[in-house]
Amino acid sequence: MSGTVKKIADVTFKAGKTIDWEGMAKLLVTDEARKEFSNLRRAFDDVNSQLQTKFSQEPEPINWEYYRKGIGSRLVDMYKEAYESIEIPKFEDTVTPQYKPKFDALLVELKEAEKQSLKESERLEKEVAEVQELKKKLSTMTADEYFEKHPELKKKFDDEIRNDYWGY
């Protein structure tokens, strides 16, 4: 087996093991998304199994003597010489070097967006907790207690009263 094909097969096999399919499936909301996801997974598994079986095995060696007996040695020798002269070119990856910096930049951007998202999520969770606490206390809370938590509103109302502005 050529080294490149074996490396590709190994990488895809490892990639198949490291993908958290169940974790990604839990994130899907709609039935259409689940259907598309299952199609993606099925296609990935098909390609992966082909790479593991079809392309990862060495071809069986040709029994040249068998063909010499049936066809004749001159023709078989000609085919053998042509077969052995075939050189399969090595795969040279010219695409990855072009896109690797872009991909790395996107990963950095993704990490930053993730950090910002987590900060915003924490802030919103605190705000929700405060609103829920306020909702519980609202029926028994006095105006003074409310204004203690929100001094800007107290100042606004005091200014309106001082300026004789009653909202009309």
Side-chain angles (χ1 to χ4, degrees), residues 10 15 36 45 53 66 71 74 80-81 100-101 103 109 117 124 135-136 138 143-146 148 151-152 154-155 161:
D10 290 344
E36 290 296 322
D45 290 342
T53 57
Y66 171 78
I71 298 174
R74 185 173 172 196
K80 182 178 180 183
E81 182 181 325
K100 182 124 177 76
F103 182 74
E109 195 176 312
S117 175
L124 290 173
K135 184 179 173 185
K136 290 178 186 175
L138 198 57
D144 289 333
E145 291 172 340
Y146 185 81
E148 275 181 35
E152 70 280 355
K154 180 171 177 32
K155 183 180 181 306
I161 292 171

Side-chain angles (χ1 to χ4, degrees), residues 99-112:
Y99 289 99
K100 182 124 177 76
K102 293 177 185 176
F103 182 74
D104 291 342
L106 285 174
L107 280 178
V108 169
E109 195 176 312
L110 173 76
K111 293 291 184 187
E112 186 61 35

Side-chain angles (χ1 to χ4, degrees), residues 51-66:
L51 286 172
Q52 288 302 314
T53 57
K54 190 184 237 183
F55 300 112
S56 65
Q57 299 173 357
E58 286 284 337
E60 292 183 27
I62 298 173
N63 184 357
W64 297 108
E65 293 304 317
Y66 171 78

Side-chain angles (χ1 to χ4, degrees), residues 134 138 141-162 165:
L134 181 62
L138 198 57
M141 183 181 279
T142 65
D144 289 333
E145 291 172 340
Y146 185 81
F147 286 141
E148 275 181 35
K149 287 191 172 201
H150 304 282
E152 70 280 355
L153 284 177
K154 180 171 177 32
K155 183 180 181 306
K156 179 184 171 195
F157 288 142
D158 287 344
D159 289 345
E160 287 177 358
I161 292 171
R162 255 186 251 111
Y165 177 73

Side-chain angles (χ1 to χ4, degrees), residues 51-140:
L51 286 172
Q52 288 302 314
T53 57
K54 190 184 237 183
F55 300 112
S56 65
Q57 299 173 357
E58 286 284 337
E60 292 183 27
I62 298 173
N63 184 357
W64 297 108
E65 293 304 317
Y66 171 78
Y67 292 106
R68 276 195 182 95
K69 291 177 187 172
I71 298 174
S73 64
R74 185 173 172 196
L75 186 61
V76 172
D77 288 340
M78 185 176 73
Y79 274 102
K80 182 178 180 183
E81 182 181 325
Y83 177 79
E84 290 173 351
S85 68
I86 294 175
E87 286 189 28
I88 299 173
K90 284 192 168 188
F91 173 74
E92 293 183 32
D93 185 7
T94 58
V95 176
T96 302
Q98 293 173 347
Y99 289 99
K100 182 124 177 76
K102 293 177 185 176
F103 182 74
D104 291 342
L106 285 174
L107 280 178
V108 169
E109 195 176 312
L110 173 76
K111 293 291 184 187
E112 186 61 35
E114 180 184 27
K115 287 177 187 176
Q116 290 176 351
S117 175
L118 289 173
K119 286 179 184 177
E120 183 66 13
S121 178
E122 287 177 19
R123 186 189 68 76
L124 290 173
E125 285 175 4
K126 288 178 184 176
E127 190 175 318
V128 165
E130 288 174 5
V131 169
Q132 286 177 341
E133 183 181 327
L134 181 62
K135 184 179 173 185
K136 290 178 186 175
K137 293 180 179 180
L138 198 57
S139 62
T140 61

Side-chain angles (χ1 to χ4, degrees), residues 7-63:
K7 287 178 187 175
I8 292 171
D10 290 344
V11 167
T12 56
F13 180 71
K14 290 175 185 173
K17 284 186 170 183
T18 59
I19 295 175
D20 183 14
W21 294 103
E22 286 76 27
M24 286 192 290
K26 290 177 186 175
L27 300 174
L28 301 175
V29 179
T30 64
D31 289 335
E32 183 178 345
R34 288 186 188 101
K35 180 181 174 187
E36 290 296 322
F37 184 73
S38 67
N39 288 341
L40 173 68
R41 185 170 184 182
R42 192 174 318 112
F44 179 84
D45 290 342
D46 289 346
V47 168
N48 198 20
S49 68
Q50 282 184 356
L51 286 172
Q52 288 302 314
T53 57
K54 190 184 237 183
F55 300 112
S56 65
Q57 299 173 357
E58 286 284 337
E60 292 183 27
I62 298 173
N63 184 357

